[in-house]
Amino acid sequence: MSAHCQLTGAKPGFGNSISHSHRRTSRRFDPNVQRKRYWLPSEGRHVRLTLSARAIRTVDTLGIEAAVARIRARGGKV
């Protein structure tokens, strides 16, 4: 699952594209996911996380240590 945020759990939503003539076709609403590399001082290494743009701002607020702790609490691998 590539369009999935490790911190917030944001994943694609599904819906319909509706044309001018009102025909409906299936579509995906992907979250704005980015691969970002952070230095994790407690482990002395870099970690590469797949985060949504909102989660990147959350990491800036909380700090990388707390964010990694939340990811691990959700059962994610870092």
Side-chain angles (χ1 to χ4, degrees):
M1 191 184 261
S2 60
H4 183 265
C5 176
Q6 290 179 291
L7 182 60
T8 62
K11 55 186 183 235
F14 295 89
N16 291 311
S17 288
I18 303 180
S19 70
H20 179 69
S21 63
H22 215 64
R23 289 181 61 115
R24 292 158 191 248
T25 54
S26 190
R27 64 160 293 181
R28 254 168 74 131
F29 294 91
D30 286 326
N32 183 9
V33 233
Q34 312 291 324
R35 297 224 349 126
K36 190 123 167 79
R37 187 171 169 243
Y38 290 99
W39 173 251
L40 196 57
S42 65
E43 297 180 17
R45 68 183 181 107
H46 284 96
V47 290
R48 190 175 298 275
L49 301 175
T50 305
L51 302 172
S52 63
R54 188 179 84 202
I56 291 172
R57 292 195 302 270
T58 304
V59 170
D60 291 342
T61 304
L62 293 176
I64 186 62
E65 297 289 344
V68 167
R70 281 191 186 185
I71 291 170
R72 287 182 174 147
R74 291 182 76 228
K77 185 180 167 191
V78 177

